[in-house]
Amino acid sequence: MKIGVIGGGQLGRMLALAGTPLGMKFVFLDPAHDACAATLGEHIHADYHDHEHLRQLADQVDMVTFEFESVPADTVAFLSQFVPVYPCAESLRIARDRLLEKNLFRSLQIPVAPFAPVDSQTDLEQAVASIGLPAVLKTRTLGYDGKGQKVLRETADVGQAFAELGSVPCILEAFVEFSGEVSLIAVRSRDGISNFYPLVHNTHSNGILRVSIASHQHPLQSLAEQYTAAVLDHLNYVGVMAFEFFEIDGGLKANEIAPRVHNSGHWTIEGAECSQFENHLRAITGLPLGSTAKLGESAMINFIGSVPAISGLAAIADCHVHDYGKAFKEGRKVGHATVRSADSETLRRRLAEIEALMVADK
Ligand code: AMP
C-alpha cells in the first residue's frame, strides 16, 4: 500500500514511522527543500497548486491524506478525480474556515462562545458592540499556533485590529475565561466506527501547545465524545480528527477541530495501545481500528526552537525523545518528548526533569 501525504513536516514523518512496519510506503508532496518527512519516503518537491506534480503523486499512490488543514480546496478537488482522498473535501473545507466550523458546531448543538463574522472595520465595531470585550479576533483561514489572531482587551485595541490582521475575512469570538483546555483525539473508520482516546489536558503559551497530559479519567470524557461523534458522523469522516475544547463551568465549549493527526495526540505513540498515527492509517486503508486505551499515564512536552541534549533526556526514566531533524527557527516545533509513569506524581517529576533540561539549554 502506497500513501500520498500532502505536506512533509513532522506529522507526515510520524505517519511514516507508524506505517512503515505495516508494510506501507509513503510519498510526500511539499514545496520545502528540507521537508523533515522526506527521509522516510519519496519527496515530490512541488507547490500545492502544481497540477502536473499532483497528478504525478496521484498516479503512484493508492490514496492521499493530509498533514495540515490549510490545503487549497482546488488541490483536494483535483486529486479526488484520480485517487481516494481522506478525510473528504468537505471535512477540509469546514475545518480550514473558522466561521464554517463554528456554524457547524452551532447547528449540531455543540456549545460555542458567542461569535460573529467580520469582513470590515465597521463589522468589527458592530461585533464588539454586541459581543463585548475582551474578545479574540481571528482570521477565518490560515491561522495556526496563535498566528492570525489578536486579543482585544479594551476599546483602544479595536481601532487597528482588522488592518493588523491583514484586512482579510475574520471572526470575532468572545474571550472564554476557561478553567482549562482539553482535546479529544478520535478516529473513524471507513465503515463508520469511531474510537476515542482519553481526553487530554493541554497547556498553551503564546498560542502554541507546550504540554499535553493524559492522566486521570476525565469527568468530561463522555460529553467530549458525544460532541466529537456528532461532527464525525455529520461529515462521514474517515481518519483521525482532533477536537479542542475550553473547559468552563463544569462543561465544554468547542474551540476548533483539526482534520488530521494532532500535536496533542503525540503521547499516543508510546502512551496508547495503538497510536493516533497508526490508527489514522488503519482508518484510511480500511483496516480494523486499533485500541485507543492508554498504557499508564503520559505527558508530552514540545521542544520549541531547539531540542535539549539527548544525553540528558536519555537519562530520564521512560522518556521517549522525538527530534524532527528540523533547522532552528524561533517559535518552531522541532521535537517533543513523551514521559510515562504508573502514577501522576512520578509523571510530574519526570516532566519537571525535562523542563529543567530545557531551561539549562537556553
Ligand atoms: P486557536 O488557534 O483558536 O486554537 O487558539 C490558540 C489558543 O488561543 C487557544 O488554545 C487558547 O489558549 C487561546 N484562545 C483562542 N480562542 C480563545 C477564546 N475565544 N478565548 C480565550 N482564549 C482563546
Side-chain angles (χ1 to χ4, degrees), residues 285-297:
T285 58
L287 291 172
L289 299 180
S291 164
T292 49
K294 69 182 166 68
L295 305 166
E297 309 207 352

Side-chain angles (χ1 to χ4, degrees), residues 98 136 138 149 173-176 178 181 204 246 255-256:
R98 292 184 189 275
V136 191
K138 301 179 176 179
Q149 59 178 273
E173 283 174 26
F175 191 89
V176 181
F178 53 78
E181 292 188 81
H204 295 81
F246 299 122
N255 179 20
E256 61 178 356

Side-chain angles (χ1 to χ4, degrees), residues 116-130 162 170 172:
V118 169
D119 292 321
S120 65
Q121 182 63 29
T122 315
D123 283 356
L124 176 59
E125 280 155 24
Q126 281 169 1
V128 168
S130 70
F162 185 67
C170 289
L172 186 76

Side-chain angles (χ1 to χ4, degrees), residues 142-156:
L142 299 174
Y144 69 99
D145 285 349
K147 295 185 176 68
Q149 59 178 273
K150 203 171 159 26
V151 178
L152 312 181
R153 298 199 180 277
E154 47 199 57
T155 317

Side-chain angles (χ1 to χ4, degrees), residues 188-194 233 236-238 283 286-289:
R188 189 170 183 276
S189 67
R190 283 202 216 163
D191 46 8
I193 295 167
S194 296
D233 292 341
N236 195 17
Y237 192 88
V238 176
L287 291 172
L289 299 180

